[in-house]
Amino acid sequence: MAESRKREKNPWVLISQCVLIITAVNYKFCSAACPPPPVQCAANSKTCHLTNYRGEWEDRSDCKASLAFFPKKESELIQAVAYAVEKGQKIKVITGGSHSLNRFVCPGGDGGIVISTRDYNSRIDVDEKSMTVTVDAGVGLRKLLDVLAGKGLALPHTTDWDGLSMAGVVSTAAHGSSLWGKGGGIHEYVVGLTIVVPATAHQGYAKLIHLTGKDEALKAARVSLGVLGAISQVTFAVEKLFKRSVTLKLIDDSDLEESFVKFAKLHEFGLINWYPSFSGVLHSIQDRVPVDAPGNGKLSEIPFRPATVQSVVQSRAVEELNNAKINTSNLCTSAKMQIEQGVKAGNGYLNDGKNFTGFPVVGFNHLMQTSSGCQIDPRSEKPDTCPWEGKDLKSNDTICPWDTQVKGNFFYHTSIAIPLSRIAEAIRDLKRIRDMDPSALCTLNSYLGVQL
């Protein structure tokens, strides 16, 4: 945060690097109208084009590969890696939703090979004796949570959005929110990995490596960004199913720097959203409660719900109009009102799974910890898939708000790591920048503010 002192005359430079901050949001897929697949290979062409969930890479350049593989089982994954190794080509693994913000998944140039885990998603083996579950790389988070819950088990921490694959969330260090126990990182619960790595010609150019908690290499392999090999299967430690109790409170930020660590240590799944422009702090008080506690709540976050094409386009148009007119008054007023009304309406928490009647909202962990909706195709027998039909969208078709087929939500976000011992200093730095011109930060209110 030392840079903040050097750049106080231009707070927007810091905002672009720092304040859209710690919002590691990963999305993709849609409902009644599905987006184009992230990997598209033209017929009779040696070029495949890769994109991500928002349809653009950071540098706006193209991402290409010479060939794409879509393995359905481990033997096919091994064959794909062996083919690339024998040909001396670079390999990158991409998930079915392609949630990478940067070009790290691009194999480089036009001659690399991409392997998609889209179809490698059939295995979910639960071992209740050892309290573990082993899954294929492409198994979806929501599918896994539901299977575990059906057996009275839980993965305690996940991301806010469940439209992700398990190998993807592990290798990128995706996380929930907690200072308790092992912390909120999903990778912290990985106790085994099976990885396909390059091998000699005598070994067939590819081989399997099995890592367990006894192997020091597991620590590196868990968050490897795919550079150590192609993850085939992941084994997680699980717990007995429990419920969460959630209460939201919107307060002022006068003592945020002093109270942040205390709050985080007090609540197992606590989360803070800070809205600097109007000095607001949203405390999400989330605690574990017994499985027999009354309540059948559910989280259905509004940003993740299906929205009509018309509403998505209109929302973007209004935002651009306010920005074009530099109408900070409208931005500040509407964003603050939206936050306050959202909290009063439950912010997507539903007491009985359908309606919000007041806090606390209590429900099973797998229904309260992560949200979905717009990535599910209601027409499909496989709700974790979304077959693209290549048809023109109609105004009443429902999509995810970030669907690349329309001019909808589009924003840049990044994250920074701040030592817990210096979080108070970081908050004070941001407050000093905010105090120079609070209205300059109103746009952040529409995009979760500063998520801590």
Side-chain angles (χ1 to χ4, degrees), residues 234-301:
V234 188
T235 300
F236 296 92
V238 296
E239 301 178 4
K240 290 292 185 180
L241 186 62
F242 58 91
K243 286 186 175 181
R244 282 195 193 197
S245 173
V246 177
T247 297
L248 301 184
K249 291 185 178 180
L250 189 61
I251 62 176
D252 68 76
D253 68 358
S254 58
D255 69 340
L256 179 59
E257 53 268 53
E258 285 78 27
S259 64
F260 171 80
V261 174
K262 180 180 179 181
F263 175 86
K265 290 182 177 180
L266 185 61
H267 302 288
E268 183 175 6
F269 308 108
L271 182 66
I272 291 177
N273 288 75
W274 180 27
Y275 304 101
S277 66
F278 68 90
S279 302
V281 173
L282 179 60
H283 278 177
S284 182
I285 302 169
Q286 302 193 28
D287 294 300
R288 183 186 302 238
V289 295
V291 72
D292 58 354
N296 291 295
K298 177 183 178 181
L299 174 61
S300 178
E301 292 190 76

Side-chain angles (χ1 to χ4, degrees), residues 213-423:
K214 298 179 181 179
D215 299 299
E216 190 70 16
L218 180 64
K219 296 178 181 178
R222 288 186 303 185
V223 187
S224 64
L225 297 176
V227 299
L228 299 184
I231 294 177
S232 176
Q233 294 174 350
V234 188
T235 300
F236 296 92
V238 296
E239 301 178 4
K240 290 292 185 180
L241 186 62
F242 58 91
K243 286 186 175 181
R244 282 195 193 197
S245 173
V246 177
T247 297
L248 301 184
K249 291 185 178 180
L250 189 61
I251 62 176
D252 68 76
D253 68 358
S254 58
D255 69 340
L256 179 59
E257 53 268 53
E258 285 78 27
S259 64
F260 171 80
V261 174
K262 180 180 179 181
F263 175 86
K265 290 182 177 180
L266 185 61
H267 302 288
E268 183 175 6
F269 308 108
L271 182 66
I272 291 177
N273 288 75
W274 180 27
Y275 304 101
S277 66
F278 68 90
S279 302
V281 173
L282 179 60
H283 278 177
S284 182
I285 302 169
Q286 302 193 28
D287 294 300
R288 183 186 302 238
V289 295
V291 72
D292 58 354
N296 291 295
K298 177 183 178 181
L299 174 61
S300 178
E301 292 190 76
I302 295 174
F304 300 152
R305 294 177 185 175
T308 64
V309 170
Q310 182 178 12
S311 66
V312 169
V313 172
Q314 286 179 343
S315 177
R316 170 71 178 269
V318 169
E319 182 180 6
E320 289 196 349
L321 181 62
N322 285 332
N323 282 321
K325 292 182 177 180
I326 316 180
N327 195 333
T328 56
S329 176
N330 279 358
L331 282 172
C332 295
T333 301
S334 61
K336 181 181 179 182
M337 185 180 302
Q338 181 180 359
I339 293 165
E340 293 173 339
Q341 291 178 345
V343 173
K344 291 180 180 178
N347 257 15
Y349 286 101
L350 308 171
N351 295 79
D352 59 358
K354 296 180 180 180
N355 304 289
F356 173 72
T357 56
F359 291 114
V361 178
V362 178
F364 289 104
N365 187 59
H366 71 295
L367 299 177
M368 296 285 286
Q369 68 187 139
T370 186
S371 185
S372 64
C374 68
Q375 90 278 20
I376 299 173
D377 181 7
R379 304 161 300 169
S380 175
E381 295 180 358
K382 297 181 178 180
D384 56 346
T385 64
C386 192
W388 183 54
E389 299 174 341
K391 296 180 180 179
D392 292 334
L393 296 177
K394 298 179 181 179
S395 62
N396 61 343
D397 281 336
T398 57
I399 59 174
C400 285
W402 53 86
D403 193 301
T404 60
Q405 297 173 101
V406 302
K407 191 176 181 180
N409 286 359
F410 186 88
F411 54 92
Y412 178 81
H413 52 262
T414 187
S415 62
I416 62 174
I418 302 172
L420 199 60
S421 61
R422 302 192 66 185
I423 189 66

Side-chain angles (χ1 to χ4, degrees), residues 76-253:
E76 294 177 357
L77 178 61
I78 295 173
Q79 291 172 5
V81 173
Y83 176 91
V85 173
E86 183 179 11
K87 299 293 184 181
Q89 294 176 296
K90 293 182 178 180
I91 311 169
K92 285 297 177 73
V93 181
I94 190 171
T95 65
S98 184
H99 302 289
S100 178
L101 293 175
N102 54 47
R103 293 171 52 84
F104 198 80
V105 298
C106 300
D110 298 342
I113 287 177
V114 64
I115 300 173
S116 172
T117 60
R118 182 192 66 190
D119 302 326
Y120 187 28
N121 58 9
S122 60
R123 181 185 182 188
I124 301 180
D125 290 342
V126 179
D127 187 334
E128 296 183 57
K129 184 177 181 180
S130 65
M131 293 293 285
T132 61
V133 59
T134 300
V135 300
D136 287 340
V139 166
L141 175 56
R142 171 50 56 191
K143 182 178 180 180
L144 172 60
L145 295 178
D146 288 345
V147 169
L148 289 174
K151 295 182 177 294
L153 300 172
L155 188 63
H157 296 282
T158 67
T159 53
D160 289 340
W161 166 247
D162 66 10
L164 309 170
S165 72
M166 298 315 299
V169 298
V170 168
S171 60
T172 58
H175 55 85
S177 177
S178 184
L179 292 182
W180 288 34
K182 297 179 181 179
I186 302 173
H187 63 278
E188 298 289 0
Y189 296 85
V190 173
V191 295
L193 278 175
T194 301
I195 306 177
V196 183
V197 299
T200 64
H202 177 72
Q203 295 172 311
Y205 296 103
K207 64 180 181 180
L208 283 175
I209 292 181
H210 302 280
L211 299 174
T212 69
K214 298 179 181 179
D215 299 299
E216 190 70 16
L218 180 64
K219 296 178 181 178
R222 288 186 303 185
V223 187
S224 64
L225 297 176
V227 299
L228 299 184
I231 294 177
S232 176
Q233 294 174 350
V234 188
T235 300
F236 296 92
V238 296
E239 301 178 4
K240 290 292 185 180
L241 186 62
F242 58 91
K243 286 186 175 181
R244 282 195 193 197
S245 173
V246 177
T247 297
L248 301 184
K249 291 185 178 180
L250 189 61
I251 62 176
D252 68 76
D253 68 358

